[in-house]
Amino acid sequence: MHILITGANRGIGRALADHYRQAGHEVTATARRPSEGELALDVTDPASCAALAARLGGRAVDLLICNAGVYLDKGQALAEGYAAQMWADTFATNVTGVFLTVQAFLPHLRAGKGAKIAIISSQMASHTRAPGGSYIYRASKAAALNLGRNLASDLAGDGIAVGIYHPGWVRTEMGGDSAEISVEEATSGLVARFAALDLASTGCFQTWDGRDHPY
Ligand code: NDP
Protein backbone atom coordinates (compact mmCIF):
# COMPACT_ATOMS: atom_id res chain seq x y z
CA MET A 1 0.00 0.00 0.00
CA HIS A 2 1.27 3.53 -0.80
CA ILE A 3 0.33 6.03 1.91
CA LEU A 4 0.76 9.80 1.70
CA ILE A 5 0.71 11.69 5.02
CA THR A 6 0.68 15.45 5.57
CA GLY A 7 2.43 16.98 8.60
CA ALA A 8 4.51 13.84 9.07
CA ASN A 9 7.56 15.46 10.70
CA ARG A 10 6.23 15.23 14.28
CA GLY A 11 3.30 14.21 16.45
CA ILE A 12 0.57 11.91 15.14
CA GLY A 13 1.63 12.25 11.49
CA ARG A 14 5.15 11.10 12.23
CA ALA A 15 3.95 8.19 14.36
CA LEU A 16 1.62 7.07 11.55
CA ALA A 17 4.49 7.25 9.04
CA ASP A 18 6.75 5.18 11.35
CA HIS A 19 3.99 2.63 11.92
CA TYR A 20 3.23 2.10 8.24
CA ARG A 21 6.93 1.92 7.31
CA GLN A 22 7.55 -0.71 9.99
CA ALA A 23 4.58 -2.67 8.63
CA GLY A 24 6.31 -2.72 5.22
CA HIS A 25 4.20 -0.16 3.38
CA GLU A 26 5.49 2.51 1.04
CA VAL A 27 5.10 5.87 2.80
CA THR A 28 5.35 9.35 1.31
CA ALA A 29 5.90 11.36 4.49
CA THR A 30 5.56 15.09 3.87
CA ALA A 31 6.38 18.22 5.83
CA ARG A 32 6.38 21.93 5.15
CA ARG A 33 10.05 22.04 6.26
CA PRO A 34 11.21 18.56 5.25
CA SER A 35 14.22 16.82 6.74
CA GLU A 36 15.67 13.46 5.79
CA GLY A 37 13.05 10.96 4.61
CA GLU A 38 10.35 13.58 4.02
CA LEU A 39 9.14 15.36 0.89
CA ALA A 40 8.12 19.03 0.89
CA LEU A 41 4.44 19.83 1.18
CA ASP A 42 2.92 22.99 2.64
CA VAL A 43 -0.79 22.25 2.50
CA THR A 44 -1.68 25.95 2.37
CA ASP A 45 0.25 26.46 -0.87
CA PRO A 46 -1.31 25.23 -4.16
CA ALA A 47 2.10 25.42 -5.88
CA SER A 48 3.63 23.17 -3.22
CA CYS A 49 0.76 20.67 -3.63
CA ALA A 50 1.14 20.75 -7.43
CA ALA A 51 4.92 20.27 -7.23
CA LEU A 52 4.62 17.13 -5.10
CA ALA A 53 1.77 15.79 -7.25
CA ALA A 54 4.01 16.23 -10.33
CA ARG A 55 6.92 14.56 -8.55
CA LEU A 56 4.78 11.49 -7.82
CA GLY A 57 3.93 11.27 -11.53
CA GLY A 58 1.50 8.46 -12.30
CA ARG A 59 2.04 6.60 -9.01
CA ALA A 60 -1.15 5.52 -7.28
CA VAL A 61 -1.87 6.64 -3.72
CA ASP A 62 -3.94 4.09 -1.78
CA LEU A 63 -4.42 6.09 1.41
CA LEU A 64 -4.16 9.87 1.78
CA ILE A 65 -4.00 11.00 5.41
CA CYS A 66 -4.79 14.70 5.83
CA ASN A 67 -3.21 15.14 9.25
CA ALA A 68 -1.51 18.57 9.16
CA GLY A 69 -3.22 20.99 11.50
CA VAL A 70 -2.76 24.05 13.69
CA TYR A 71 -4.45 25.14 16.93
CA LEU A 72 -3.48 28.81 17.03
CA ASP A 73 -6.19 29.97 19.47
CA LYS A 74 -5.43 27.38 22.15
CA GLY A 75 -6.07 28.98 25.54
CA GLN A 76 -7.29 32.24 24.00
CA ALA A 77 -9.92 33.96 26.17
CA LEU A 78 -12.96 35.50 24.48
CA ALA A 79 -12.22 38.79 26.25
CA GLU A 80 -8.80 38.94 24.56
CA GLY A 81 -10.44 38.88 21.14
CA TYR A 82 -9.71 36.64 18.18
CA ALA A 83 -7.63 38.30 15.46
CA ALA A 84 -8.87 38.06 11.87
CA GLN A 85 -5.41 36.91 10.79
CA MET A 86 -5.60 34.00 13.24
CA TRP A 87 -8.90 32.93 11.65
CA ALA A 88 -7.35 33.16 8.19
CA ASP A 89 -4.18 31.27 9.12
CA THR A 90 -6.08 28.49 10.88
CA PHE A 91 -8.57 27.99 8.07
CA ALA A 92 -5.73 28.06 5.50
CA THR A 93 -4.27 24.92 7.08
CA ASN A 94 -7.18 23.07 8.69
CA VAL A 95 -9.78 23.60 5.95
CA THR A 96 -8.36 24.97 2.68
CA GLY A 97 -5.23 22.86 3.23
CA VAL A 98 -7.29 19.67 3.40
CA PHE A 99 -9.16 20.57 0.22
CA LEU A 100 -6.02 21.59 -1.71
CA THR A 101 -4.32 18.34 -0.72
CA VAL A 102 -7.25 16.17 -1.80
CA GLN A 103 -7.59 18.12 -5.04
CA ALA A 104 -3.88 17.80 -5.89
CA PHE A 105 -3.72 14.04 -5.27
CA LEU A 106 -7.08 13.06 -6.70
CA PRO A 107 -5.50 11.69 -9.90
CA HIS A 108 -3.20 9.49 -7.76
CA LEU A 109 -6.13 8.29 -5.64
CA ARG A 110 -8.15 7.54 -8.77
CA ALA A 111 -5.18 5.55 -10.09
CA GLY A 112 -5.45 3.19 -7.10
CA LYS A 113 -8.07 0.51 -6.52
CA GLY A 114 -10.40 1.29 -3.62
CA ALA A 115 -8.37 4.28 -2.44
CA LYS A 116 -9.19 6.03 0.84
CA ILE A 117 -8.91 9.50 2.32
CA ALA A 118 -8.60 9.94 6.10
CA ILE A 119 -9.16 13.44 7.44
CA ILE A 120 -7.91 14.08 10.97
CA SER A 121 -10.48 16.44 12.43
CA SER A 122 -11.32 16.47 16.15
CA GLN A 123 -14.19 15.79 18.52
CA MET A 124 -14.14 19.59 18.86
CA ALA A 125 -15.73 19.66 15.37
CA SER A 126 -18.97 18.27 16.74
CA HIS A 127 -21.99 20.53 17.17
CA THR A 128 -22.67 18.56 20.35
CA ARG A 129 -19.49 19.91 21.94
CA ALA A 130 -19.61 23.67 22.31
CA PRO A 131 -18.52 24.44 25.87
CA GLY A 132 -17.11 27.83 24.85
CA GLY A 133 -13.60 28.86 23.84
CA SER A 134 -11.34 27.79 20.96
CA TYR A 135 -13.71 29.48 18.52
CA ILE A 136 -11.38 29.31 15.57
CA TYR A 137 -10.10 25.77 16.02
CA ARG A 138 -13.62 24.40 16.65
CA ALA A 139 -15.01 26.16 13.58
CA SER A 140 -12.11 24.99 11.41
CA LYS A 141 -12.45 21.36 12.48
CA ALA A 142 -16.24 21.52 11.98
CA ALA A 143 -15.57 22.80 8.47
CA ALA A 144 -13.10 19.97 7.85
CA LEU A 145 -15.78 17.50 8.96
CA ASN A 146 -18.27 19.05 6.55
CA LEU A 147 -15.66 18.99 3.79
CA GLY A 148 -14.99 15.32 4.39
CA ARG A 149 -18.66 14.37 4.26
CA ASN A 150 -19.17 16.38 1.10
CA LEU A 151 -16.14 14.73 -0.53
CA ALA A 152 -17.48 11.33 0.52
CA SER A 153 -20.63 11.99 -1.53
CA ASP A 154 -18.73 13.17 -4.60
CA LEU A 155 -15.99 10.54 -4.57
CA ALA A 156 -18.10 7.42 -3.92
CA GLY A 157 -18.61 7.18 -7.68
CA ASP A 158 -14.84 6.92 -8.08
CA GLY A 159 -14.72 4.14 -5.50
CA ILE A 160 -12.87 6.42 -3.05
CA ALA A 161 -13.98 6.24 0.60
CA VAL A 162 -13.55 9.21 2.94
CA GLY A 163 -13.43 8.98 6.75
CA ILE A 164 -13.20 11.76 9.29
CA TYR A 165 -11.54 11.02 12.63
CA HIS A 166 -10.98 12.23 16.18
CA PRO A 167 -7.49 10.94 17.05
CA GLY A 168 -8.05 11.13 20.81
CA TRP A 169 -6.54 13.70 23.14
CA VAL A 170 -2.94 12.83 22.35
CA ARG A 171 0.36 13.75 24.03
CA THR A 172 1.96 15.80 21.24
CA GLU A 173 3.11 19.39 20.97
CA MET A 174 -0.53 20.30 20.24
CA GLY A 175 -2.18 18.01 22.80
CA GLY A 176 0.26 18.81 25.62
CA ASP A 177 1.87 16.61 28.29
CA SER A 178 -1.33 16.09 30.30
CA ALA A 179 -3.27 14.63 27.34
CA GLU A 180 -4.94 11.26 27.78
CA ILE A 181 -3.19 8.94 25.33
CA SER A 182 0.21 8.40 23.71
CA VAL A 183 0.87 8.79 19.99
CA GLU A 184 1.35 5.00 19.84
CA GLU A 185 -2.16 4.37 21.25
CA ALA A 186 -3.67 6.95 18.89
CA THR A 187 -1.79 5.47 15.96
CA SER A 188 -2.79 1.85 16.53
CA GLY A 189 -6.43 2.91 16.89
CA LEU A 190 -6.38 5.13 13.80
CA VAL A 191 -4.66 2.48 11.67
CA ALA A 192 -7.45 0.03 12.54
CA ARG A 193 -10.10 2.65 11.66
CA PHE A 194 -8.46 3.40 8.30
CA ALA A 195 -8.25 -0.32 7.51
CA ALA A 196 -11.98 -0.73 8.19
CA LEU A 197 -13.00 2.30 6.09
CA ASP A 198 -14.86 1.35 2.93
CA LEU A 199 -17.64 2.64 0.68
CA ALA A 200 -20.26 1.31 3.11
CA SER A 201 -18.88 3.50 5.91
CA THR A 202 -17.77 6.47 3.78
CA GLY A 203 -18.53 9.84 5.41
CA CYS A 204 -18.14 8.33 8.90
CA PHE A 205 -17.01 10.46 11.84
CA GLN A 206 -15.25 8.15 14.28
CA THR A 207 -13.00 8.27 17.29
CA TRP A 208 -9.58 6.60 17.35
CA ASP A 209 -11.00 3.77 19.49
CA GLY A 210 -13.83 2.94 17.12
CA ARG A 211 -16.86 4.82 18.38
CA ASP A 212 -19.13 6.71 15.99
CA HIS A 213 -19.05 10.37 17.06
CA PRO A 214 -22.17 12.55 16.72
CA TYR A 215 -21.81 15.27 14.11
P1 NDP B 1 1.41 18.69 16.22
O1 NDP B 1 1.27 20.14 16.52
O2 NDP B 1 2.34 17.84 16.98
O3 NDP B 1 1.76 18.48 14.65
C1 NDP B 1 1.07 19.21 13.68
C2 NDP B 1 1.70 18.86 12.34
O4 NDP B 1 1.03 19.62 11.32
C3 NDP B 1 3.18 19.24 12.27
O5 NDP B 1 3.89 18.26 11.54
C4 NDP B 1 3.14 20.56 11.53
O6 NDP B 1 4.34 20.88 10.84
C5 NDP B 1 2.04 20.24 10.52
N1 NDP B 1 1.57 21.42 9.81
C6 NDP B 1 1.03 22.56 10.32
N2 NDP B 1 0.79 23.42 9.33
C7 NDP B 1 1.17 22.83 8.17
C8 NDP B 1 1.17 23.20 6.81
N3 NDP B 1 0.74 24.41 6.42
N4 NDP B 1 1.61 22.31 5.88
C9 NDP B 1 2.06 21.09 6.24
N5 NDP B 1 2.12 20.67 7.54
C10 NDP B 1 1.68 21.55 8.47
O7 NDP B 1 -0.09 18.14 16.30
P2 NDP B 1 -0.70 16.66 16.43
O8 NDP B 1 0.22 15.66 15.87
O9 NDP B 1 -1.21 16.52 17.80
O10 NDP B 1 -1.99 16.84 15.49
C11 NDP B 1 -2.17 16.16 14.26
C12 NDP B 1 -3.62 16.37 13.83
O11 NDP B 1 -4.50 15.85 14.85
C13 NDP B 1 -4.00 17.85 13.67
O12 NDP B 1 -4.85 17.99 12.56
C14 NDP B 1 -4.75 18.14 14.96
O13 NDP B 1 -5.65 19.22 14.81
C15 NDP B 1 -5.45 16.82 15.22
N6 NDP B 1 -5.85 16.62 16.60
C16 NDP B 1 -4.92 16.49 17.60
C17 NDP B 1 -5.32 16.27 18.91
C18 NDP B 1 -4.36 16.09 20.03
O14 NDP B 1 -4.79 15.90 21.19
N7 NDP B 1 -3.04 16.11 19.79
C19 NDP B 1 -6.76 16.18 19.26
C20 NDP B 1 -7.65 16.33 18.13
C21 NDP B 1 -7.20 16.53 16.86
P3 NDP B 1 5.41 21.95 11.45
O15 NDP B 1 6.37 21.17 12.28
O16 NDP B 1 6.04 22.53 10.21
O17 NDP B 1 4.66 22.97 12.25
Side-chain angles (χ1 to χ4, degrees), residues 151-196:
L151 284 166
S153 298
D154 260 338
L155 298 180
D158 290 312
I160 300 171
V162 184
I164 304 102
Y165 300 94
H166 168 57
W169 184 21
V170 192
R171 288 189 289 279
T172 62
E173 218 168 294
M174 185 184 292
D177 291 340
S178 52
E180 285 168 357
I181 60 170
S182 66
V183 281
E184 290 77 18
E185 288 173 276
T187 297
S188 65
L190 288 171
V191 164
R193 304 285 81 72
F194 303 163

Side-chain angles (χ1 to χ4, degrees), residues 6-13 30-33 41-44 66-71 93-94 120-124 137 141 165-176 179 183:
T6 67
N9 54 306
R10 58 188 169 95
I12 296 167
T30 70
R32 57 178 159 175
R33 286 180 288 270
L41 180 63
D42 181 338
V43 299
T44 65
C66 297
N67 162 78
V70 292
Y71 187 174
T93 302
N94 294 2
I120 307 299
S121 177
S122 165
Q123 64 184 356
M124 290 168 75
Y137 185 74
K141 290 298 189 180
Y165 300 94
H166 168 57
W169 184 21
V170 192
R171 288 189 289 279
T172 62
E173 218 168 294
M174 185 184 292
V183 281

Side-chain angles (χ1 to χ4, degrees), residues 2-195:
H2 176 206
I3 300 144
L4 194 156
I5 308 172
T6 67
N9 54 306
R10 58 188 169 95
I12 296 167
R14 184 182 181 146
L16 284 167
D18 290 346
H19 176 98
Y20 281 121
R21 278 200 182 113
Q22 280 159 19
H25 295 291
E26 183 190 357
V27 177
T28 298
T30 70
R32 57 178 159 175
R33 286 180 288 270
S35 54
E36 210 182 324
E38 293 152 4
L39 295 182
L41 180 63
D42 181 338
V43 299
T44 65
D45 178 4
S48 172
C49 294
L52 182 59
R55 188 167 173 170
L56 291 187
R59 269 167 67 200
V61 170
D62 303 296
L63 172 61
L64 170 64
I65 305 176
C66 297
N67 162 78
V70 292
Y71 187 174
L72 303 179
D73 58 334
K74 190 174 182 182
Q76 183 94 355
L78 186 56
E80 292 167 5
Y82 283 71
Q85 193 59 50
M86 197 183 272
W87 281 94
D89 291 343
T90 304
F91 271 68
T93 302
N94 294 2
V95 188
T96 315
V98 172
F99 191 81
L100 292 178
T101 305
V102 171
Q103 188 172 245
F105 298 103
L106 211 40
H108 307 82
L109 291 161
R110 285 190 173 121
K113 268 209 176 94
K116 308 179 191 190
I117 300 170
I119 296 174
I120 307 299
S121 177
S122 165
Q123 64 184 356
M124 290 168 75
S126 175
H127 293 170
T128 64
R129 290 178 72 96
S134 298
Y135 285 86
I136 305 176
Y137 185 74
R138 281 181 202 285
S140 72
K141 290 298 189 180
L145 170 58
N146 181 283
L147 189 65
R149 286 185 54 80
N150 215 13
L151 284 166
S153 298
D154 260 338
L155 298 180
D158 290 312
I160 300 171
V162 184
I164 304 102
Y165 300 94
H166 168 57
W169 184 21
V170 192
R171 288 189 289 279
T172 62
E173 218 168 294
M174 185 184 292
D177 291 340
S178 52
E180 285 168 357
I181 60 170
S182 66
V183 281
E184 290 77 18
E185 288 173 276
T187 297
S188 65
L190 288 171
V191 164
R193 304 285 81 72
F194 303 163

